[in-house]
Amino acid sequence: MKTIRVNLSDDSYNIFIDKGILKGIGDMLAKEKQPCKTLLITDKNIDRIYSHIVTESLAQHGFRVKSFTLTPGEDQKSLETAMILYEACFDHKLDRSSLIVALGGGVAGDMSGFVAATFMRGIPFIQIPTSLLAQVDSSIGGKVAVNHPRGKNMIGSFYQPLAVFIDTETLSTLPAIELVTGLVEVIKYGVIKDAELFEYIEKSLYDILQLDQKALLKIIATSCQIKADIVAEDEKEKHVRAILNYGHTIGHAIEALTHYKKYRHGEAVAIGMLYAARIAVEMGLTGSTVFERQLSLVKRLGLPLSTGLKPKDIIKTLYLDKKAVSGKLRFVLPTGIGEVIISDQVTEEILSHVLTGNFV
Ligand code: ADP
Ligand code: ZN
C-alpha cells in the first residue's frame, strides 16, 4: 500500500492507495475515526457494483450506514441535489460527530464534499474515488463545489476530507473512455512536474490501458503525490497551484463553448494542452519535441485533435474565464517536459495564429 500525506495548515490527511482496499475500509477507517452514523453517497452505476462491499466493511466496524444514490451525471451537481442530500442528513440524524462517505467519481465526490462542508457548518467526510479522474485529481485538494446555471463549480468552498481511499481495482469496471480521459490529467502532471512520469506513460501505455495493477499504482500514486505537494504549498490557489491548470485555460473555453456536452473534460484538456504546448514552441520557450511527445500520446489514446470551433470564439471565451486576472490572460506554458511557467505574455496574435492551426 502507498500512503501519501497531504500536509496542510490545519487539516492534514492521508491518501491510501492499493488494489483491493475497499473491503478493508472499515478497518482502516476505524483507526482514524470512532464508529458513528454514516451517510454513504454514491451514484447508481457505482452503487450496483461497490456499495455493498463498503457498507459491509464499515458495518463490521460499528459504523451505522445509510446510503443515498444519485442519478449519474454532471447535472446532478446542483444546489437542488444538495437540498435533497441535506434532507437525508436530517433523516439519518447526522451531527458533527457523524461521517459522510463519498463513493464514486468526481460528481459524487464534489457533491458529497459540498454537503459535508455545509451541513451544520461542516461534518467529517472521506473520499473513495472510483474514476481515474477523481483518483488523481478531484478527490485531492479540498475543492468542493456544485454548479450554478451561470457557471460550473461556481458555488463551493475548500473543505478537506479526513482521508482518501483509492482502490485501483475499481478501475476495472470504469468505462474505457473514462479511463482514457482520466489519463489526460496524469499526462498533465508529467508535463508540469515530472519528466520521469511522462516517460513512464510513453513506455507503459499498453500496461496502463490493460489495467496492470502495478502500473496503475505507480501513475496514481505519483499523480497524487504531485498534487498533494502543490496543494500543500498553496492551499487556496494563490500562486503555484495555478500550474495545475495546464491545458485547462483553453480546455475550459472549449467545454464552455460546447455547453459541456460535446467533450469530456479530459478531451477538452488534451486539446488545451496541445495548444498551450504549441504556444510555448511559437514563443521560443521550448523545442518542438515537447509538443510532439504530447501530440503522440494524445493520438495513441485516440482522443480528438480538433474542435471545429472558431479561434475568435475561443479567444472571446478565454477572457470570460474566472481565472483571467484583471482582464489579462494567464497561460501555463511548458519550458520542457516536467517544467512549466505561468505567463501573461501570450499575445492575441500568437493565440490566434496557434488556434488557427491544426494538429496532424
Ligand atoms: P468524473 O469523470 O469527474 O469522475 P463522474 O462522477 O460523472 O465524473 O464519473 C464518470 C462516470 O463513470 C459516471 O457515469 C460514473 O457513474 C461512472 N463511474 C465512476 N467510477 C466507476 C467505476 N469504478 N465503475 C463503473 N463506473 C464508474
Ligand atoms: Zn482537469
Side-chain angles (χ1 to χ4, degrees):
M1 164 141 46
K2 295 246 181 190
T3 305
I4 289 164
R5 182 91 184 145
V6 186
N7 275 312
L8 303 173
S9 43
D10 312 314
D11 316 293
S12 297
Y13 61 94
N14 289 325
I15 305 169
F16 302 99
I17 314 169
D18 208 352
K19 65 174 167 103
I21 63 171
L22 274 195
K23 45 188 187 304
I25 215 116
D27 188 32
M28 294 175 74
L29 187 61
K31 297 189 180 108
E32 312 258 335
K33 175 132 184 54
Q34 289 281 339
C36 60
K37 275 186 231 153
T38 300
L39 181 67
L40 174 84
I41 301 173
T42 186
D43 82 21
K44 217 168 74 198
N45 299 332
I46 296 136
D47 182 52
R48 272 201 303 259
I49 322 174
Y50 299 111
S51 278
H52 64 286
I53 304 175
V54 174
T55 306
E56 273 164 33
S57 176
L58 289 173
Q60 275 168 9
H61 288 81
F63 292 88
R64 301 181 294 288
V65 188
K66 285 257 172 11
S67 60
F68 189 96
T69 305
L70 302 164
T71 308
E74 180 72 26
D75 56 353
Q76 293 300 304
K77 245 177 70 176
S78 65
L79 284 170
E80 286 78 8
T81 309
M83 286 298 279
I84 297 168
L85 287 168
Y86 295 138
E87 284 293 331
C89 294
F90 281 117
D91 287 347
H92 195 30
K93 300 196 172 54
L94 297 196
D95 60 33
R96 287 215 183 119
S97 65
S98 309
L99 180 72
I100 287 184
V101 176
L103 173 68
V107 171
D110 282 7
M111 196 61 246
S112 312
F114 180 81
V115 168
T118 46
F119 186 70
M120 299 181 77
R121 294 202 192 86
I123 65 174
F125 93 115
I126 62 164
Q127 295 255 31
I128 311 175
T130 60
S131 70
L132 182 58
L133 182 64
Q135 293 178 347
V136 300
D137 184 18
S138 52
S139 70
I140 317 154
K143 281 189 180 178
V144 298
V146 296
N147 301 327
H148 186 275
R150 295 178 65 166
K152 236 186 125 182
N153 292 329
M154 280 296 180
I155 315 293
S157 183
F158 287 93
Y159 191 67
Q160 306 297 340
L162 271 187
V164 179
F165 299 93
I166 298 178
D167 187 338
T168 50
E169 273 177 356
T170 58
L171 299 180
S172 63
T173 56
L174 186 71
I177 181 70
E178 301 290 344
L179 184 78
V180 164
T181 49
L183 258 180
V184 172
E185 300 282 350
V186 180
I187 296 170
K188 176 193 81 176
Y189 290 121
V191 179
I192 65 175
K193 267 280 179 221
D194 191 338
E196 201 199 305
L197 172 64
F198 191 92
E199 241 170 72
Y200 182 81
I201 304 167
E202 290 178 318
K203 274 206 242 118
S204 314
L205 191 60
Y206 179 81
D207 293 342
I208 296 168
L209 294 174
Q210 292 293 313
L211 303 177
D212 175 275
Q213 292 294 315
K214 263 206 189 125
L216 291 176
L217 187 62
K218 162 144 179 127
I219 59 163
I220 294 169
T222 308
S223 300
C224 288
Q225 185 72 60
I226 293 171
K227 181 145 185 193
D229 290 346
I230 294 173
V231 168
E233 211 179 311
D234 179 18
E235 239 172 278
K236 299 277 163 73
E237 194 164 333
K238 302 229 162 66
H239 46 103
V240 297
R241 193 163 172 166
I243 68 172
L244 294 169
N245 287 322
Y246 178 57
H248 285 62
T249 312
I250 292 175
H252 283 150
I254 293 169
E255 288 185 284
L257 278 170
T258 52
H259 309 285
Y260 300 92
K261 297 259 185 291
K262 190 163 171 202
Y263 298 101
R264 278 165 213 270
H265 179 67
E267 292 174 324
V269 170
I271 298 173
M273 296 199 309
L274 295 179
Y275 279 128
R278 202 168 243 176
I279 290 169
V281 175
E282 284 289 317
M283 288 171 70
L285 295 170
T286 191
S288 61
T289 51
V290 167
F291 164 75
E292 278 148 18
R293 287 173 73 186
Q294 292 177 66
L295 176 63
S296 158
L297 270 182
V298 172
K299 278 187 180 166
R300 287 170 70 193
L301 290 175
L303 292 168
L305 298 174
S306 62
T307 63
L309 293 168
K310 293 199 184 82
K312 74 171 187 340
D313 291 338
I314 296 181
I315 294 171
K316 205 159 47 168
T317 311
L318 287 172
Y319 282 99
L320 301 174
D321 194 299
K322 68 174 183 246
K323 290 188 176 108
V325 175
S326 24
K328 269 205 152 179
L329 295 182
R330 292 171 83 205
F331 278 90
V332 182
L333 301 175
T335 49
I337 294 288
E339 325 170 335
V340 286
I341 55 160
I342 296 173
S343 169
D344 58 6
Q345 304 292 309
V346 180
T347 60
E348 253 188 73
E349 202 183 340
I350 294 174
L351 248 182
S352 144
H353 171 68
V354 167
L355 290 170
T356 309
N358 47 25
F359 308 122
V360 281

